[in-house]
Coordinates of all heavy atoms in Angstrom, one line a residue:
L262 N -106.8 55.5 -27.7 CA -107.3 54.7 -28.9 C -107.7 53.3 -28.6 O -108.5 52.7 -29.4 CB -106.3 54.7 -30.0 CG -105.9 56.1 -30.5 CD1 -104.8 56.0 -31.6 CD2 -107.1 56.8 -31.1
N263 N -107.2 52.7 -27.5 CA -107.6 51.3 -27.2 C -107.6 51.2 -25.6 O -106.5 51.3 -25.0 CB -106.6 50.4 -27.8 CG -107.0 48.9 -27.7 OD1 -107.8 48.6 -26.9 ND2 -106.4 48.1 -28.6
S264 N -108.7 50.9 -25.0 CA -108.8 50.8 -23.6 C -108.0 49.6 -23.0 O -107.7 49.6 -21.9 CB -110.3 50.7 -23.1 OG -110.9 49.6 -23.6
D265 N -107.8 48.6 -23.9 CA -107.1 47.4 -23.4 C -105.6 47.8 -23.0 O -105.0 47.2 -22.1 CB -107.0 46.4 -24.5 CG -108.3 45.6 -24.6 OD1 -109.2 45.7 -23.7 OD2 -108.5 45.0 -25.7
Y266 N -105.1 48.8 -23.7 CA -103.7 49.3 -23.3 C -103.7 50.0 -21.9 O -102.8 49.8 -21.2 CB -103.3 50.4 -24.3 CG -103.0 49.9 -25.7 CD1 -103.0 50.7 -26.8 CD2 -102.6 48.5 -25.9 CE1 -102.7 50.2 -28.1 CE2 -102.3 48.0 -27.2 CZ -102.4 48.8 -28.3 OH -102.1 48.4 -29.5
G267 N -104.8 50.7 -21.6 CA -105.0 51.3 -20.2 C -105.0 50.2 -19.2 O -104.4 50.3 -18.1
K268 N -105.8 49.1 -19.4 CA -105.9 48.0 -18.5 C -104.5 47.3 -18.4 O -104.1 46.9 -17.2 CB -106.9 47.0 -18.9 CG -108.3 47.6 -18.9 CD -109.3 46.7 -19.5 CE -110.7 47.3 -19.7 NZ -111.6 46.5 -20.5
E269 N -103.8 47.2 -19.5 CA -102.5 46.6 -19.4 C -101.5 47.4 -18.7 O -100.7 46.9 -17.9 CB -102.0 46.4 -20.9 CG -100.7 45.8 -21.2 CD -100.4 45.7 -22.6 OE1 -101.1 45.1 -23.4 OE2 -99.4 46.4 -23.0
L270 N -101.6 48.7 -18.8 CA -100.7 49.7 -18.1 C -101.0 49.6 -16.6 O -100.1 49.6 -15.8 CB -100.9 51.0 -18.6 CG -100.1 52.2 -17.9 CD1 -98.6 51.9 -18.0 CD2 -100.5 53.5 -18.4
D271 N -102.2 49.6 -16.3 CA -102.6 49.5 -14.8 C -102.0 48.3 -14.2 O -101.4 48.3 -13.1 CB -104.1 49.5 -14.6 CG -104.7 50.8 -14.8 OD1 -103.9 51.9 -14.7 OD2 -105.9 51.0 -15.1
E272 N -102.1 47.1 -14.9 CA -101.6 45.9 -14.4 C -100.1 45.9 -14.2 O -99.5 45.5 -13.2 CB -102.0 44.8 -15.3 CG -101.5 43.4 -14.9 CD -101.9 42.9 -13.6 OE1 -103.1 43.2 -13.1 OE2 -101.1 42.1 -12.9
R273 N -99.4 46.4 -15.3 CA -98.0 46.5 -15.3 C -97.4 47.4 -14.1 O -96.5 47.1 -13.5 CB -97.4 46.9 -16.6 CG -97.7 45.9 -17.7 CD -97.1 46.3 -18.9 NE -95.7 45.9 -18.9 CZ -94.9 46.1 -20.0 NH1 -95.3 46.5 -21.1 NH2 -93.6 45.7 -19.9
C274 N -98.1 48.5 -13.9 CA -97.7 49.5 -12.9 C -98.0 49.0 -11.5 O -97.2 49.2 -10.6 CB -98.4 50.9 -13.1 SG -97.6 51.8 -14.5
R275 N -99.0 48.2 -11.4 CA -99.4 47.6 -10.1 C -98.3 46.6 -9.7 O -97.9 46.5 -8.5 CB -100.7 46.9 -10.2 CG -101.3 46.5 -8.9 CD -102.7 45.9 -8.9 NE -103.6 46.8 -9.6 CZ -104.3 46.4 -10.7 NH1 -104.1 45.3 -11.3 NH2 -105.1 47.3 -11.3
R276 N -97.7 45.9 -10.7 CA -96.7 44.9 -10.5 C -95.4 45.5 -10.0 O -94.6 44.9 -9.2 CB -96.4 44.0 -11.6 CG -97.3 42.8 -11.8 CD -96.9 41.9 -12.9 NE -97.7 42.2 -14.0 CZ -97.3 42.1 -15.3 NH1 -96.0 41.8 -15.5 NH2 -98.0 42.4 -16.3
V277 N -95.2 46.8 -10.4 CA -93.9 47.5 -10.0 C -94.2 48.5 -8.9 O -93.3 49.3 -8.6 CB -93.2 48.1 -11.1 CG1 -92.6 47.0 -12.1 CG2 -94.0 49.1 -11.8
C278 N -95.4 48.5 -8.4 CA -95.8 49.4 -7.3 C -95.6 50.9 -7.6 O -95.1 51.7 -6.9 CB -95.1 49.1 -6.0 SG -95.4 47.4 -5.4
E279 N -96.1 51.2 -8.9 CA -96.0 52.6 -9.4 C -97.4 53.0 -9.7 O -98.2 52.3 -10.2 CB -95.1 52.7 -10.6 CG -93.6 52.6 -10.3 CD -93.1 53.8 -9.6 OE1 -93.6 54.9 -9.7 OE2 -92.1 53.6 -8.8
V280 N -97.7 54.3 -9.5 CA -99.0 54.9 -10.0 C -98.8 55.3 -11.4 O -97.9 56.0 -11.7 CB -99.4 56.1 -9.1 CG1 -100.6 56.7 -9.6 CG2 -99.5 55.7 -7.6
P281 N -99.7 54.8 -12.3 CA -99.5 55.1 -13.7 C -99.8 56.7 -13.9 O -100.8 57.2 -13.6 CB -100.5 54.3 -14.4 CG -101.4 53.9 -13.4 CD -100.8 53.9 -12.1
S282 N -98.8 57.3 -14.5 CA -98.9 58.7 -14.9 C -98.3 58.9 -16.2 O -97.0 58.7 -16.4 CB -98.2 59.6 -13.9 OG -98.2 60.9 -14.3
L283 N -99.0 59.2 -17.3 CA -98.5 59.2 -18.6 C -97.5 60.2 -18.9 O -97.7 61.3 -18.3 CB -99.7 59.3 -19.6 CG -100.7 58.1 -19.6 CD1 -101.9 58.4 -20.4 CD2 -100.0 56.8 -20.0
P284 N -96.6 60.0 -19.7 CA -96.2 58.7 -20.4 C -95.5 57.7 -19.4 O -94.9 58.1 -18.5 CB -95.3 59.1 -21.5 CG -94.7 60.3 -21.0 CD -95.7 61.0 -20.1
V285 N -95.5 56.4 -19.8 CA -94.8 55.5 -19.0 C -94.0 54.7 -20.0 O -94.4 54.2 -21.0 CB -95.8 54.5 -18.2 CG1 -95.0 53.4 -17.5 CG2 -96.6 55.3 -17.3
V286 N -92.7 54.5 -19.7 CA -91.8 53.8 -20.6 C -91.3 52.5 -20.0 O -90.9 52.5 -18.8 CB -90.5 54.7 -21.0 CG1 -89.6 54.0 -21.8 CG2 -91.0 56.0 -21.5
F287 N -91.3 51.4 -20.8 CA -90.7 50.2 -20.5 C -89.6 49.8 -21.5 O -89.9 49.9 -22.7 CB -91.7 49.0 -20.5 CG -92.7 49.1 -19.4 CD1 -93.9 49.9 -19.4 CD2 -92.5 48.4 -18.2 CE1 -94.8 50.0 -18.4 CE2 -93.4 48.4 -17.1 CZ -94.5 49.2 -17.2
I288 N -88.4 49.5 -21.0 CA -87.4 49.0 -21.9 C -87.0 47.6 -21.5 O -86.8 47.3 -20.4 CB -86.1 49.9 -21.9 CG1 -86.5 51.3 -22.4 CG2 -85.0 49.3 -22.7 CD1 -85.4 52.3 -22.5
D289 N -87.0 46.6 -22.5 CA -86.7 45.2 -22.3 C -87.8 44.6 -21.3 O -87.4 43.7 -20.6 CB -85.3 45.0 -21.7 CG -84.2 45.2 -22.8 OD1 -84.5 45.1 -23.9 OD2 -83.1 45.6 -22.3
G290 N -88.9 45.2 -21.3 CA -90.0 44.7 -20.4 C -89.8 45.2 -18.9 O -90.6 44.9 -18.1
H291 N -88.8 46.1 -18.6 CA -88.6 46.6 -17.3 C -89.1 48.1 -17.3 O -88.9 48.8 -18.2 CB -87.2 46.5 -16.9 CG -86.6 45.1 -16.9 ND1 -87.0 44.2 -15.9 CD2 -85.8 44.5 -17.8 CE1 -86.4 43.1 -16.2 NE2 -85.6 43.2 -17.3
Y292 N -89.8 48.4 -16.2 CA -90.2 49.7 -16.0 C -89.1 50.7 -15.9 O -88.1 50.5 -15.2 CB -91.1 49.8 -14.7 CG -91.5 51.2 -14.2 CD1 -92.6 51.7 -14.9 CD2 -90.9 51.9 -13.3 CE1 -93.1 53.0 -14.5 CE2 -91.3 53.2 -13.0 CZ -92.4 53.7 -13.6 OH -92.8 55.0 -13.2
L293 N -89.1 51.8 -16.7 CA -88.1 52.7 -16.7 C -88.5 54.1 -16.0 O -87.8 54.6 -15.2 CB -87.6 53.1 -18.1 CG -86.4 53.9 -18.3 CD1 -85.1 53.2 -17.6 CD2 -86.1 54.2 -19.7
G294 N -89.7 54.5 -16.3 CA -90.2 55.7 -15.6 C -91.1 56.6 -16.6 O -91.5 56.1 -17.6
G295 N -91.3 57.8 -16.1 CA -92.1 58.7 -16.9 C -91.2 59.8 -17.6 O -90.0 59.6 -17.7
A296 N -91.9 60.9 -18.0 CA -91.3 61.9 -18.7 C -90.1 62.6 -18.0 O -89.0 62.8 -18.6 CB -92.4 63.0 -19.1
E297 N -90.3 62.8 -16.7 CA -89.2 63.5 -16.0 C -88.0 62.6 -16.0 O -86.8 63.1 -16.1 CB -89.6 63.8 -14.5 CG -90.7 64.9 -14.4 CD -92.1 64.3 -14.8 OE1 -92.4 63.0 -14.7 OE2 -93.1 65.1 -15.1
K298 N -88.1 61.3 -15.7 CA -87.0 60.4 -15.6 C -86.3 60.3 -17.0 O -85.1 60.3 -17.1 CB -87.4 59.1 -15.1 CG -86.3 58.0 -15.1 CD -86.1 57.4 -13.8 CE -84.9 56.5 -13.8 NZ -85.0 55.3 -13.1
I299 N -87.1 60.2 -18.1 CA -86.5 60.1 -19.4 C -85.8 61.3 -19.8 O -84.7 61.2 -20.3 CB -87.7 59.8 -20.4 CG1 -88.4 58.5 -20.1 CG2 -87.1 59.8 -21.9 CD1 -87.5 57.2 -20.2
L300 N -86.3 62.5 -19.4 CA -85.6 63.7 -19.7 C -84.3 63.8 -19.0 O -83.3 64.2 -19.6 CB -86.5 64.9 -19.4 CG -86.0 66.3 -19.7 CD1 -85.8 66.4 -21.2 CD2 -87.0 67.3 -19.3
L301 N -84.3 63.5 -17.7 CA -83.0 63.5 -16.9 C -82.0 62.5 -17.5 O -80.8 62.9 -17.6 CB -83.3 63.2 -15.5 CG -84.0 64.3 -14.6 CD1 -84.4 63.7 -13.3 CD2 -83.1 65.5 -14.5
M302 N -82.5 61.3 -17.8 CA -81.6 60.3 -18.4 C -81.0 60.7 -19.7 O -79.9 60.5 -20.0 CB -82.2 59.0 -18.5 CG -82.5 58.3 -17.2 SD -83.4 56.8 -17.3 CE -82.1 55.7 -17.9
N303 N -81.8 61.4 -20.5 CA -81.4 61.9 -21.8 C -80.3 63.0 -21.7 O -79.3 62.9 -22.4 CB -82.6 62.4 -22.6 CG -82.3 62.7 -24.0 OD1 -81.6 62.0 -24.7 ND2 -82.7 63.9 -24.5
E304 N -80.6 63.9 -20.7 CA -79.6 64.9 -20.5 C -78.3 64.5 -20.0 O -77.2 65.0 -20.2 CB -80.2 66.1 -19.6 CG -81.4 66.8 -20.3 CD -82.0 67.8 -19.4 OE1 -81.8 67.8 -18.2 OE2 -82.9 68.5 -19.9
S305 N -78.3 63.4 -19.1 CA -77.1 62.9 -18.5 C -76.3 61.9 -19.4 O -75.2 61.6 -19.1 CB -77.4 62.3 -17.2 OG -78.1 61.0 -17.4

């Protein structure tokens, strides 16, 4: 819906040396991960 979000995501992922693969989650401004990591953390 907004290409600025895509540019923002690219910049943020570049800073943490990650390849952006949707979805991407940040908590407290820190990179947490994608769907697989969120699912594992939720189950544990």
Side-chain angles (χ1 to χ4, degrees):
L262 298 179
N263 191 341
S264 65
D265 288 342
Y266 292 156
K268 294 171 188 171
E269 181 180 297
L270 174 62
D271 285 340
E272 175 63 30
R273 293 182 82 174
C274 286
R275 194 174 305 120
R276 276 190 261 144
V277 293
C278 300
E279 287 289 329
V280 177
S282 175
L283 296 175
V285 176
V286 179
F287 289 85
I288 295 183
D289 287 336
H291 301 288
Y292 176 79
L293 189 62
E297 294 78 19
K298 175 125 187 221
I299 299 299
L300 186 59
L301 287 171
M302 291 179 74
N303 189 46
E304 290 174 357
S305 71

